Amino acid sequence: MNGETFAKFFLEVNKRIGDLINSNDTTDKLGGIRAINELIDLPCEDNPNKIVRLASYLRTILGQQTDAAIVVPASKALGNLARSGGTMTADFVEMEAKRALERLQENRGESRRLAAVLVLKELAINAPTLFYVYVKDFFDCMWVALRDSKIMIRESAVEALRACLDLISQRDSKYRQPWYQKIFEGARQGLKVGTVESLHGSLLVIGELLQHSVSFMSKYHEEVCDLVLHYRDHRDRLIRRAVIELIPVLANFDRDYFLRNSYTSCLAYLLNVIKSGYVEERNAAYLALGETAKAMGSRSSLELLSNLQDIIGAVMEGLANRRNRKTSCPEALLCVAALAEAVGESLEPNVDGLLDQMFAGGLSPELTVALKGIVEH
């Protein structure tokens, strides 16, 4: 295909993409996004113009849509476009970063906050060098999204924070410690505000700091343990689930401290949640139980072995529920895999009984993971 023919073909393709993007049908929009993704790495003589055109389509979607089913893939496509490089990339990243930060701070911009935090996350991941200059601005305004009334916006905001923490951890910056301090102070403040949204956002942020700023958080570890576990019996399920998910993070951060001060009470708490908690909390507790056991490793062998039968009993109950789709608990299988890694051959006397229950619910990816864990450990 000669240059002129290809140019006509490409013009027609762009027209079709425009029609899909502007359609009222969700499937059409998703098709348009998919087509944009395919065109990003396509060699083209007029690549700068291609980037401008494709960015314009994505900007249209992200500026108008609030449906996560559309906004999420559109933001990923925008990230792919930023990653593709080229002479226009710097200007493109600057424009999109500034636009997203502005939308994040709008007083009446709730409907566009999801798109804003998703775009910022993708830019931080796909164009870290260019996005680095906007990290401080994100840290300054991220709390609007982290305390939003919608859980998906809060969780997407913490994903953007994670991407930014990854970014700054790779650079020997004099600003890194002050940034960590400011973020931690913001989390503390959110706990004092006391609303479910602010509590949830702060707990999510604390989890990210524990995993991405180890040296900084070491001096606050005891305080953070007390803060997090203080909310384990909170009236709201979302807060209780956030605490459950943070338990293995606390265990990983300082294994010796956790074993001395929190292991026994956290193990009892997780077993109690598995026995009597709501389904979402129970499922999270199975994962947390397994991951906590893995985190402690040989340090907790005696404690784990002394409680192993209680743990096996809880796992068996979860496996039995796999027969009933309404109470199905694939997380129990993942807990088996983690336990096998944590206690090794000590699990062997229980394997026969476990296998019967494991296969009772049929084949699944989680069953494969569990069986692999048993065989390897």
Side-chain angles (χ1 to χ4, degrees), residues 158 191 199-211 217 221 224-225 227-232 238-254 258 262 266 269-270 284-285 287-289 291-292 295:
V158 88
L191 295 176
L199 286 174
H200 185 233
S202 290
L203 290 172
L204 292 176
V205 169
I206 287 171
E208 294 305 317
L209 286 173
L210 286 170
Q211 294 174 85
M217 290 298 287
H221 182 241
V224 166
C225 280
L227 280 173
V228 170
L229 297 178
H230 172 74
Y231 294 101
R232 61 187 172 188
L238 184 64
I239 303 303
R240 296 196 300 269
R241 194 182 77 190
V243 172
I244 291 167
E245 292 170 348
L246 277 172
I247 287 175
V249 177
L250 293 171
N252 262 306
F253 187 84
D254 188 333
F258 186 83
S262 306
C266 285
Y269 172 67
L270 292 174
L287 295 177
L289 181 61
E291 291 303 313
T292 300

Side-chain angles (χ1 to χ4, degrees), residues 117-320:
V117 292
L118 288 172
V119 166
L120 292 168
K121 178 190 77 170
E122 294 298 333
L123 293 177
I125 292 172
N126 291 287
T129 301
L130 295 171
F131 186 76
Y132 182 74
V133 295
Y134 301 103
V135 166
K136 179 183 180 299
D137 295 329
F138 172 72
F139 289 156
D140 287 341
C141 64
M142 67 180 184
W143 293 104
V144 175
L146 285 164
R147 294 169 185 161
D148 193 273
S149 61
K150 296 179 180 178
I151 183 172
M152 187 172 187
I153 293 179
R154 297 198 298 274
E155 292 179 341
S156 297
V158 88
E159 289 176 5
L161 171 62
R162 183 181 308 140
C164 289
L165 291 175
D166 278 340
L167 196 164
I168 66 173
S169 70
Q170 299 166 16
R171 288 166 170 76
D172 185 17
S173 171
K174 64 180 180 181
Y175 302 112
R176 190 162 54 197
Q177 294 299 316
W179 283 342
Y180 290 153
Q181 186 69 51
K182 187 173 183 179
I183 294 169
F184 185 53
E185 291 302 328
R188 278 174 164 165
Q189 184 59 39
L191 295 176
K192 292 177 182 177
V193 171
T195 64
V196 169
E197 294 80 10
S198 65
L199 286 174
H200 185 233
S202 290
L203 290 172
L204 292 176
V205 169
I206 287 171
E208 294 305 317
L209 286 173
L210 286 170
Q211 294 174 85
H212 293 89
S213 58
V214 176
S215 60
F216 170 78
M217 290 298 287
S218 294
K219 57 187 173 184
Y220 298 111
H221 182 241
E222 184 174 350
E223 174 191 349
V224 166
C225 280
D226 292 340
L227 280 173
V228 170
L229 297 178
H230 172 74
Y231 294 101
R232 61 187 172 188
D233 295 317
H234 193 273
R235 66 183 185 280
D236 191 90
R237 295 183 205 174
L238 184 64
I239 303 303
R240 296 196 300 269
R241 194 182 77 190
V243 172
I244 291 167
E245 292 170 348
L246 277 172
I247 287 175
V249 177
L250 293 171
N252 262 306
F253 187 84
D254 188 333
R255 294 170 174 84
D256 293 326
Y257 178 89
F258 186 83
L259 181 59
R260 291 194 309 270
N261 297 278
S262 306
Y263 178 80
T264 302
S265 63
C266 285
L267 179 61
Y269 172 67
L270 292 174
L271 290 174
N272 183 62
V273 171
I274 287 171
K275 182 178 179 180
S276 57
Y278 291 97
V279 172
E280 286 187 2
E281 293 172 61
R282 180 203 65 188
N283 295 349
Y286 275 117
L287 295 177
L289 181 61
E291 291 303 313
T292 300
K294 280 171 55 178
M296 302 311 295
S298 60
R299 292 177 176 80
S300 63
S301 58
L302 293 177
E303 289 79 1
L304 254 184
L305 292 176
S306 65
N307 293 280
L308 188 57
Q309 292 311 309
D310 291 334
I311 296 172
I312 294 297
V315 170
M316 293 284 279
E317 182 179 342
L319 294 175

Side-chain angles (χ1 to χ4, degrees), residues 95-107 116 141:
M95 180 183 299
E96 298 306 324
K98 288 181 176 179
R99 188 190 306 274
L101 288 166
E102 288 172 3
R103 287 177 174 172
L104 199 55
Q105 299 174 78
E106 291 175 356
N107 291 331
C141 64

Side-chain angles (χ1 to χ4, degrees), residues 282 286 316-329:
R282 180 203 65 188
Y286 275 117
M316 293 284 279
E317 182 179 342
L319 294 175
N321 286 334
R322 293 186 73 229
R323 300 170 185 265
N324 185 338
R325 290 185 178 181
K326 291 184 179 179
T327 57
S328 177
C329 187

